[in-house]
Amino acid sequence: MTSTRTTPPPTLTERSPEVRLTLDAFGGLRADLIQDAFAYRPLPRMDVDKGLPRLLPARIRVYLGLFPHAVVTALALIVFIVGQFAVGDSFQGLKTLLFSVVPAAAVMLTLVRPVLAFWASLLAAPFVGILSGHFSGWPWSRNAFVAHLAVLAVVTARTRPRAGAWMWAVTAGATLFMEMFLGIGTSSDSVYMLFVSALVLLVVSVVQIRRDATRQVTAEKTVTAVERSKRTVLEERTTIARELHDVVAHHMSVVAIQAEAAPYRVDNPPPELEAAFVTIRENAVAALSELRRILGVVRAEDYEAPDAPQPTLADLDDLIANVREAGLEVTRTVTGARRALPQGVELSAYRIVQEALSNVLRHAPGAAATVEVSYVLGGLGLRIANGPARGLTKPSPSTAGAGHGITGMRERVAMLGGEMTAGEPDDGDGGYEIAVFVPVARVEPRDEESEETREESRP
């Protein structure tokens, strides 16, 4: 059985790229001159904190910010004066006032509604021409001619060059229409208007494009300077990390060597002392290896991490045994059914417990600690709590609260999308408690037998 599929005919825009370009062009006309026709956009003050104006006194700079407004007002005044001289003694009264004021008002309108000012200037041209009885030129009287040029320049400077191109096209169409259908044909200044307005718009557009390019270059330079500053800080931190690695690695090597040689300096040392020195050496070597592995990433870009497995929750017994040898009483509790977790969760959980127990050793000597690991539905829960310090040795002021252990824990938990709380417990007995919950997506095992059964049952 054959099936036929009917493909709908392509639309006009899909069939003709020319039509699509034409629609896009008229869409730009609508966006620039129709949709924003009544938009209220007051002319902003000039920036007097850059360039030569910033060298002037503060009292003068306050008024200098209104310089663009003064220029537009001066243009409107020039249009008004041109209208007065163009009329002369031909007619007086209300006609003279309207003939001079209407074009000047269109220029002043550019201060608050620039696009509307263009349409007002364009529509005022035949009104002014008819009002003067075609005495001062058609379709552009002298003052309307100057007013429209001023409006085109100001509006283009306040919007963008594309809007200026559309205004020139609309002006050309309106000029030809007024000359062919509304004028008496005695005189025509259409060619002059189109030529002079094209020159004005070209100059304004070039200045505006250059100004925008300068702003863009300045912004890119600012971003480059910020990035360069960040890179400098990063390089300084890298240098500090390398120096810290060299210093700490040297001292840790000395500790390991002295711990290994110490039993040979004592005649018949007790077994407890030998075991203590062995533990010190092992911890020093382990810390030195970990330090070299982590700082090796900073030292070389082509550094490759070793293939040694990362610690997981299965290594908590060794960690707890290690801190117990250091004198910390630790009680561990595991609830829930143990299951394999993602490697990132396993590593982060191990590091959180490790850092928490290290904080107990540093800040709460003599206190007992409790480690609770909870395998719950939907995630993993951790709780590390300790009581108040009971030893005679108090934490050093230089180290108490000066590290980044808690911050590192929060970053690890946030990276995994979990939650963490840290602070004194609610029982009021003192001490410290860290509670963590890390969500873990449950992965259902595939039933291979059922899959094979379904495959065999398929036709």
Side-chain angles (χ1 to χ4, degrees):
M1 179 178 179
T2 59
S3 61
T4 59
R5 183 176 59 182
T6 303
T7 303
T11 61
L12 184 61
T13 56
E14 295 176 348
R15 185 180 301 172
S16 175
E18 292 80 5
V19 174
R20 188 163 56 249
L21 293 176
T22 303
L23 293 178
D24 293 340
F26 281 101
L29 170 64
R30 181 178 58 185
D32 291 336
L33 299 183
I34 298 178
Q35 292 180 350
D36 296 339
F38 295 93
Y40 178 71
R41 297 177 181 175
L43 182 63
R45 296 172 61 95
M46 185 178 68
D47 187 5
V48 296
D49 296 329
K50 298 180 180 179
L52 296 178
R54 62 188 177 89
L55 302 178
L56 299 175
R59 292 178 298 177
I60 299 179
R61 282 189 289 142
V62 172
Y63 299 101
L64 188 61
L66 297 175
F67 179 75
H69 304 75
V71 172
V72 175
T73 304
L75 291 175
L77 182 60
I78 292 174
V79 171
F80 182 83
I81 295 174
V82 170
Q84 291 293 319
F85 278 101
V87 173
D89 298 332
S90 58
F91 54 91
Q92 301 292 335
L94 182 60
K95 283 187 176 182
T96 305
L97 184 63
L98 293 177
F99 183 82
S100 302
V101 169
V102 172
V107 177
M108 292 297 296
L109 190 59
T110 59
L111 292 174
V112 289
R113 302 185 188 274
V115 180
L116 182 61
F118 163 73
W119 292 109
S121 176
L122 189 64
L123 297 176
F127 170 77
V128 173
I130 295 174
L131 187 66
S132 64
H134 305 86
F135 173 78
S136 184
W138 181 263
W140 298 97
S141 60
R142 297 174 188 175
N143 57 337
F145 190 98
V146 177
H148 198 65
L149 290 179
V151 169
L152 290 177
V154 175
V155 175
T156 303
R158 294 200 58 193
T159 55
R160 50 184 172 179
R162 191 183 73 173
W166 278 118
M167 286 190 295
W168 187 88
V170 173
T171 300
T175 300
L176 295 178
F177 176 80
M178 288 186 291
E179 182 180 352
M180 295 175 60
F181 297 100
L182 301 180
I184 60 175
T186 55
S187 63
S188 174
D189 48 13
S190 302
V191 176
Y192 300 104
M193 165 56 74
L194 298 181
F195 178 75
V196 177
S197 61
L199 291 180
V200 171
L201 292 176
L202 179 62
V203 172
V204 175
S205 299
V206 170
V207 173
Q208 188 179 23
I209 292 174
R210 184 179 181 277
R211 181 184 59 188
D212 294 340
T214 302
R215 290 178 179 175
Q216 185 176 1
V217 171
T218 303
E220 291 179 354
K221 287 183 178 180
T222 303
V223 173
T224 303
V226 172
E227 294 296 332
R228 187 183 297 111
S229 176
K230 291 181 178 180
R231 186 172 63 251
T232 302
V233 173
L234 182 59
E235 291 175 355
E236 292 178 355
R237 290 181 177 178
T238 303
T239 303
I240 295 172
R242 291 174 179 175
E243 294 175 354
L244 179 63
H245 167 261
D246 296 337
V247 173
V248 175
H250 168 72
H251 288 290
M252 294 298 294
S253 300
V254 172
V255 170
I257 294 173
Q258 290 181 348
E260 184 177 7
Y264 300 99
R265 298 177 180 272
V266 181
D267 294 336
N268 300 322
E272 295 80 3
L273 183 61
E274 291 183 354
F277 280 119
V278 169
T279 302
I280 293 174
R281 183 183 182 280
E282 290 178 352
N283 288 335
V285 173
L288 183 60
S289 300
E290 186 77 7
L291 181 65
R292 287 175 176 172
R293 184 182 65 83
I294 296 176
L295 271 298
V297 179
V298 179
R299 182 174 294 275
E301 295 181 356
D302 56 350
Y303 175 80
E304 296 183 0
D307 297 332
Q310 295 291 337
T312 62
L313 291 177
D315 300 317
L316 279 183
D317 293 335
D318 297 336
L319 174 63
I320 293 176
N322 194 357
V323 295
R324 281 174 180 170
E325 292 180 358
L328 177 63
E329 297 181 7
V330 182
T331 303
R332 185 179 65 121
T333 304
V334 178
T335 59
R338 294 189 181 184
R339 64 180 185 273
L341 300 176
Q343 183 178 2
V345 176
E346 294 270 356
L347 177 60
S348 297
Y350 179 88
R351 294 302 187 194
I352 290 173
V353 175
Q354 183 183 37
E355 181 62 30
L357 295 179
S358 299
N359 288 341
V360 177
L361 287 172
R362 286 194 299 265
H363 306 300
T370 302
V371 177
E372 297 180 3
V373 182
S374 302
Y375 292 88
V376 298
L377 182 62
L380 175 70
L382 296 175
R383 179 178 175 273
I384 304 95
N386 63 273
R390 297 178 181 177
L392 298 178
T393 305
K394 295 183 180 180
S396 173
S398 61
T399 60
H404 302 279
I406 299 296
T407 303
M409 295 181 196
R410 294 188 186 278
E411 291 176 352
R412 288 181 179 273
V413 174
M415 179 184 63
L416 297 174
E419 298 179 357
M420 171 180 165
T421 58
E424 296 185 1
D426 298 334
D427 53 13
D429 295 335
Y432 204 78
E433 179 184 80
I434 297 174
V436 175
F437 176 77
V438 177
V440 179
R442 182 177 178 84
V443 180
E444 296 292 340
R446 290 187 57 185
D447 190 351
E448 298 182 358
E449 183 177 355
S450 60
E451 287 287 340
E452 294 177 358
T453 304
R454 283 195 294 268
E455 290 290 341
E456 294 175 358
S457 62
R458 289 178 182 173

